[in-house]
Amino acid sequence: MAAISCSASDLQPLLAAAANATAAAQYICGRFDAVSNKFVDTAYAVDNTYLLFSAYLVFAMQLGFAMLCAGSVRAKNTMNIMLTNVLDAATGGLFYYLFGFALAFGTPSNGFIGQHFFGLNKFPSQSFDYGYFLYQWAFAIAAAGITSGSIAERTQFVAYLIYSSFLTGFVYPIVSHWFWSADGWASPARADNLLFGSGVIDFAGSGVVHLVGGIAGLWGALIEGPRIGRFDHEGRSVALRGHSGTLVVLGTFLLWFGWYGFNAGSFLNILKAYGESGSYYGQWSAIGRTAVTTTMAGCSAALTTLFGKRLLSGHWNLTDVCNGLLGGFAAITSGCSVVDPWAAIICGFVAAWVLMGCNKLAEKLKYDDPLEAAQLHGGCGSWGIIFTALFAKKAYVGEVYSGQPNRPYGLLMGGGGKLLAAHLVQIVVIVGFVSLTMGTLFFLLHKLKLLRISSEEEMAGMDVTSHGGLAYVYTDECNDPAMLKPGFVVSRTGPPTSAV
């Protein structure tokens, strides 16, 4: 918000009849400038408060990831998967502080990698405040959380630490620089030389976050191979169901809640008018619309999955519906700010079928992903990128990405194919770069025997073999040190019966 200026020389002629016109003009302008500066301060405070609140919502998604992951694995691996979610945040915090933010947003820089703000040196600046760092860190650890779901129940703990550090400190920041930094080669915020005259409209990260996390998880799961017992000796799929539908639902609702900070918060500020000031319509309206499109996509995907799975399998499946809902959210994340609510319903409908199709393909290829993370975030994220290039509305694109007149918009909305071309480039470069970096990392970990646990550990469960005991204490016998030995099997799952 620009300050409103007052000139004593302009005001003095209007006060010519006053005894001391010069002094009066200077006094009035001084008071006016003070009030104007207060409005500027208030605008900064409002926008930073909005951004911080959005960062808190996105960070709360880590709890959602933890609960969803815990409920989707077997009880014997509960502590392991929850600890990895805690360490995604902790490890990601340090590495994003030291390297990640600088590589992503360290301007001025070239189009491929940032060069300033390592360790938040010379921070804050005119461009960024601490709230912006916190917000972007919450996004970075979300990408790492996606990957952890794909390799759950069979991965050495040290491998989690290594891949999480590398993903949040190097891989994700470089991708986010390409598409979100003002200097990025494919960013829509560039001052000139926009990719296909448009840049990539990946508003909140169907590609930058979800596709990155999904492809990283895909390579981890492929190199590790399926869990023991996931496919029988004839190659048929065997369901290794998660142990708690309650935790799955709790995690899903927490993620739903946090997604409003993820998508609507990506505006970064709220106090911005579109056109003339004093109107009821401004960025606050676009933020509300973004929350609505997010909701509609998730709801559409959930209902489509509900009835689709009923037709395909004959069941009303809780876990599938929750994953379908999240698939709709992952898809709408790219175009949430530039499409109408009716288009978001289409987005969610298609995302549900994309997820179901990817899951069927995964079974055919004997690919094992306990949380369907690669299918959900990779598959639905890719669809969301294409969806945006088809349905982005001209008026909304002009409002959200102002400063470039006649910017290309959705193909099906009459905007031509340039935006679609830019988005296809995004999918290709993300898949290629993440495959090269994360695929190589997981392959090296595999060769060094640092990736997968032994079959004995996998059968016993990682809670017992790596974390000192079971997550759930069923009987008093659980205090017996013998339970902490590998290979221990709980013999009783209810309270001890009293003698009659």
Side-chain angles (χ1 to χ4, degrees):
M1 179 177 178
I4 305 172
S5 61
C6 175
S7 172
S9 61
D10 292 338
L11 187 59
Q12 184 175 347
L14 302 176
L15 301 173
N20 193 340
T22 301
Q26 291 174 344
Y27 176 80
I28 292 173
C29 280
R31 297 298 89 198
F32 187 88
D33 289 342
V35 172
S36 176
N37 289 335
K38 284 294 182 182
F39 278 116
V40 173
D41 294 344
T42 301
Y44 278 123
V46 169
D47 286 338
N48 276 279
T49 299
Y50 176 74
L51 183 58
L52 282 169
F53 179 71
S54 298
Y56 304 151
L57 285 177
V58 178
F59 179 67
M61 294 176 76
Q62 288 300 120
L63 177 57
F65 279 124
M67 295 299 99
L68 180 68
C69 289
S72 299
V73 301
R74 290 164 290 179
K76 63 183 180 180
N77 295 307
T78 305
M79 287 203 299
N80 173 262
I81 195 67
M82 287 198 291
L83 183 56
T84 62
N85 277 272
V86 173
L87 291 178
D88 280 340
T91 305
L94 287 177
F95 279 84
Y96 198 72
Y97 164 78
L98 292 172
F99 312 109
F101 185 83
L103 298 179
F105 299 103
T107 57
S109 63
N110 57 51
F112 293 91
I113 192 168
Q115 300 173 342
H116 302 281
F117 304 133
F118 289 96
L120 296 188
N121 185 39
K122 298 180 180 179
F123 207 84
S125 68
Q126 185 69 27
S127 303
F128 304 121
D129 208 337
Y130 288 105
Y132 187 72
F133 165 80
L134 194 72
Y135 188 67
Q136 295 300 337
W137 159 71
F139 271 61
I141 61 176
I146 291 168
T147 305
S148 68
S150 295
I151 57 178
E153 297 202 284
R154 60 202 189 276
T155 305
Q156 290 189 45
F157 197 68
V158 67
Y160 280 112
L161 296 174
I162 294 172
Y163 98 77
S164 181
S165 303
F166 187 61
L167 183 62
T168 55
F170 181 75
V171 177
Y172 169 82
I174 289 180
V175 175
S176 58
H177 179 81
W178 294 347
F179 303 106
W180 284 349
S181 169
D183 298 324
W185 62 268
S187 172
R190 286 181 66 92
D192 54 17
N193 298 322
L194 291 168
L195 181 65
F196 292 103
S198 167
V200 172
I201 299 178
D202 188 8
F203 184 71
S206 289
V208 174
V209 179
H210 296 283
L211 185 55
V212 167
I215 296 300
L218 173 68
W219 281 107
L222 279 175
I223 292 172
E224 279 192 314
R227 291 166 292 172
I228 296 173
R230 179 65 178 85
F231 299 95
D232 64 19
H233 63 282
E234 295 181 358
R236 292 175 299 191
S237 175
V238 177
L240 300 180
R241 299 191 182 279
H243 79 282
S244 175
T246 302
L247 291 177
V248 169
V249 172
L250 175 60
T252 300
F253 273 112
L254 285 169
L255 288 169
W256 188 340
F257 180 64
W259 229 293
Y260 292 120
F262 205 95
N263 286 2
S266 289
F267 280 91
L268 306 181
N269 56 61
I270 190 171
L271 202 58
K272 178 182 177 182
Y274 291 155
E276 294 292 329
S277 297
S279 170
Y280 69 90
Y281 184 76
Q283 189 136 295
W284 48 88
S285 304
I287 288 171
R289 182 183 67 244
T290 298
V292 171
T293 58
T294 300
T295 304
M296 292 300 100
C299 293
S300 172
L303 291 175
T304 303
T305 305
L306 175 71
F307 292 105
K309 293 297 290 187
R310 172 69 174 177
L311 291 173
L312 294 173
S313 66
H315 301 290
W316 308 100
N317 191 290
L318 169 67
T319 302
D320 287 339
V321 170
C322 288
N323 283 340
L325 175 83
L326 298 176
F329 288 152
I332 195 61
T333 296
S334 173
C336 55
S337 65
V338 294
V339 301
D340 278 314
W342 63 264
I345 294 174
I346 297 175
C347 177
F349 175 81
V350 176
W353 289 107
V354 168
L355 178 58
M356 287 186 277
C358 287
N359 284 334
K360 184 61 67 174
L361 179 63
E363 285 190 12
K364 293 288 185 183
L365 298 176
K366 297 180 177 58
Y367 169 79
D368 181 23
D369 185 326
L371 275 92
E372 303 175 5
Q375 302 95 298
L376 193 162
H377 298 278
C380 295
S382 297
W383 155 241
I385 295 167
I386 295 171
F387 161 79
T388 305
L390 299 177
F391 289 94
K393 188 174 179 178
K394 181 179 181 179
Y396 299 156
V397 170
E399 291 168 355
V400 178
Y401 298 95
S402 58
Q404 292 286 344
N406 302 317
R407 186 190 292 268
Y409 52 100
L411 175 64
L412 299 183
M413 307 300 286
K418 289 185 177 181
L419 184 59
L420 178 60
H423 283 210
L424 291 175
V425 169
Q426 183 193 25
I427 294 173
V428 171
V429 298
I430 288 179
V431 171
F433 179 70
V434 177
S435 297
L436 177 64
T437 52
M438 296 302 297
T440 301
L441 175 66
F442 282 123
F443 180 75
L444 290 174
L445 291 173
H446 171 69
K447 286 298 183 182
L448 295 172
K449 302 187 183 303
L450 295 175
L451 185 59
R452 183 157 184 161
I453 60 177
S454 68
S455 58
E456 291 80 9
E457 289 179 291
E458 188 173 343
M459 293 298 291
M462 297 181 69
D463 287 0
V464 168
T465 61
S466 299
H467 304 291
L470 299 170
Y472 302 103
V473 178
Y474 295 104
T475 73
D476 291 339
E477 294 174 4
C478 292
N479 294 321
D480 187 341
M483 291 192 65
L484 304 182
K485 296 179 181 179
F488 177 85
V489 177
V490 178
S491 59
R492 187 167 61 204
T493 59
T497 55
S498 57
V500 177

